Amino acid sequence: MSCQVQILDEGIFILYSKATLSSLYMSEYEDKQKLTSDEGSMASGGLADTYGRGGGPGNELKAEEELFHGNGGSTGAQMDKGQQEERLVILDDEPSGGRPVGPQYWDRGEKLTFMDKHGIDISVVSSANPWLDPLPVDEAISLASELNTELESYCSSSPSVPSSSFRRLYGLGLLPLVRHVPVPTILESITQISELSHLRGVILGTRGLGKGLDDDALNPVWEAIEKAGLVVFLHPHYGVGEGKEWGEKENGHVLPLALGFPMETTCSITRLILSGVYDRHPNLKIILAHSGGTLSQLSSRISSCIAHDPVVSGRLKHDFRYYLGKLWFDAVAYGPEELEFVSATIGRSHQYAVYDKATKKTSIEVAMKDKKVGSRRLLWGTDHPFFPPISDDTSEGKWQSVVENLKAIEDVAVWGEDEKDGVRGRTAIELFNL
């Protein structure tokens, strides 16, 4: 079996007129698989045809997976002249008065049309930032349960992929992870999600119960998620600092989204690793948004800091760099060089499996660094629908963000077709147990 996977999309699921909550909206993984079929090929064509991998005589069913997360982009659906435009505000000091809101964020028909245009067969959808964070406990608990049930219905009633047993939509559930919520209630939510057959994981922000994901109070939550075999998609929302670092010049969403979001992800996962969660629960399945932020770039520096700090030097079972091989990363990097670098840091991780605590030196178990190995932990993404084309002058109406991220995979020089097929879909099929 060969597959293609994207991680890209988000759409709004429900809007509330509450002072504390502008909206809850859908984040989506989209899954495009490429399977050998004796019954004919998927007629959608799309990206696979563009890159010479389409259906036709080869009787191949194409599928890609996209992960859609709330990352910005200030343009949206075109409005008729004089028509009042609804806008969404999710960040402090939102540039341009918020983001245009249209049916592409919540309408399933619009979603399926987009998928068809880009040759995407399956999407895995979830709520995105700000999730339930601003809500009081009682509302967060009831709403999480309701949204999970609705998401199951949304996915289970979606069309099937022709000539296969797949639905076109699957989901990541929502936990009532807010301040003061009882941990047993979170565990009940995990049980609910695990019993909904079209939900294959959960989406988490970085705040947890207010103290971050390394909060000791969350230990039973990580244990339950690991036991249930659910996938966690970790996505940022708050950035870092108070925003003063972005300066006074107007730069739109660029600085908080391109820099703040990745740094938030890097801080959150580093804290989680330092807390020993992966030593206690080595089978956790966590996907990091935005190719892991700056984790790959800083992993050796973090390792060195740990080795020279008596507070943490003896805490972990392995060198810090080992844990990158326990994670998954979306491939929303927009360039082949970035993907190759992330892949290399993942692929070398097993070299750091044994940590000599007496000498504080790394024992190398694997002699050769293989960048191809790291590709097995990457899943293709596009950032739809938050980065629509600024103009309509695009090839066949396809989104630049979709095309760029797929082309980045194609252009990674050290990957063969097997590695590229894995990133485009096979990894997601296996990870989400589709």
Side-chain angles (χ1 to χ4, degrees), residues 3 15 40 107 122 127 132 140 143 156 159-160 195 249 288 296 345 428:
C3 339
L15 295 177
D107 186 273
I122 300 176
S127 301
L132 304 173
L143 192 55
S156 64
S160 298
E195 293 175 349
K249 291 186 179 297
L288 301 182
S296 290
T345 60

Side-chain angles (χ1 to χ4, degrees), residues 384-398:
H384 174 273
F386 287 98
F387 286 100
I390 293 179
S391 70
D392 294 330
D393 186 21
T394 58
S395 175
E396 301 177 4
K398 294 186 174 67

Side-chain angles (χ1 to χ4, degrees), residues 148-374:
N148 289 333
T149 301
E150 289 293 331
L151 183 56
E152 170 66 18
S153 176
Y154 179 87
C155 297
S156 64
S157 62
S158 67
S160 298
V161 177
S163 303
S164 81
S165 59
F166 296 107
R167 289 288 179 181
R168 298 202 69 185
L169 296 170
Y170 292 88
L172 299 178
L174 189 64
L175 301 179
L177 208 58
V178 298
R179 292 175 184 269
H180 309 305
V181 69
V183 169
T185 301
I186 302 174
L187 301 182
E188 291 174 4
S189 185
I190 293 171
T191 299
Q192 178 202 23
I193 292 168
S194 66
E195 293 175 349
L196 297 173
S197 62
H198 292 81
L199 302 190
R200 299 306 172 99
V202 298
I203 183 163
L204 295 183
T206 64
R207 289 287 176 90
L209 300 175
K211 298 180 180 180
L213 298 181
D214 58 349
D215 186 351
D216 290 341
L218 292 177
N219 287 338
V221 174
W222 294 118
E223 181 179 3
I225 289 174
E226 180 189 41
K227 184 177 180 180
L230 296 175
V231 177
V232 173
F233 176 41
L234 179 58
H235 193 281
H237 173 71
Y238 297 96
V240 292
E242 299 178 353
K244 295 179 180 179
E245 57 272 14
W246 310 137
E248 297 181 357
K249 291 186 179 297
E250 175 57 63
N251 291 305
H253 294 97
V254 172
L255 296 176
L257 296 185
L259 301 181
F261 272 22
M263 286 305 304
E264 179 187 349
T265 300
T266 304
C267 291
S268 180
I269 192 62
T270 299
R271 288 173 56 182
L272 193 65
I273 293 171
L274 285 173
S275 74
V277 163
Y278 261 101
D279 288 338
R280 295 189 296 274
H281 307 292
N283 295 317
L284 277 175
K285 296 181 284 190
I286 299 178
I287 305 171
L288 301 182
H290 315 126
S291 298
T294 61
L295 184 65
S296 290
Q297 177 67 42
L298 297 177
S299 58
S300 290
R301 179 176 178 83
I302 295 171
S303 174
S304 178
C305 287
I306 292 172
H308 290 87
D309 192 325
V311 175
V312 293
S313 61
R315 183 182 298 175
L316 300 177
K317 292 182 179 180
H318 310 279
D319 183 283
F320 182 85
R321 289 165 285 194
Y322 166 80
Y323 298 96
L324 272 67
K326 304 294 290 183
L327 301 164
W328 279 264
F329 301 73
D330 76 23
V332 182
Y334 297 97
E337 296 83 5
E338 288 85 353
L339 289 180
E340 182 175 332
F341 180 78
V342 173
S343 177
T345 60
I346 300 170
R348 72 178 181 181
S349 62
H350 291 289
Q351 299 179 35
Y352 301 100
V354 176
Y355 192 84
D356 186 341
K357 296 181 179 180
T359 62
K360 305 297 185 293
K361 292 181 180 178
T362 303
S363 175
I364 306 300
E365 289 188 331
V366 179
M368 183 184 297
K369 298 178 181 179
D370 188 355
K371 295 178 181 179
K372 294 183 177 182
V373 173

Side-chain angles (χ1 to χ4, degrees), residues 385-413:
F386 287 98
F387 286 100
I390 293 179
S391 70
D392 294 330
D393 186 21
T394 58
S395 175
E396 301 177 4
K398 294 186 174 67
W399 288 35
Q400 179 182 353
S401 55
V402 180
V403 174
E404 279 188 353
N405 278 294
L406 185 60
K407 189 174 187 301
I409 297 168
E410 184 65 32
D411 290 346
V412 176

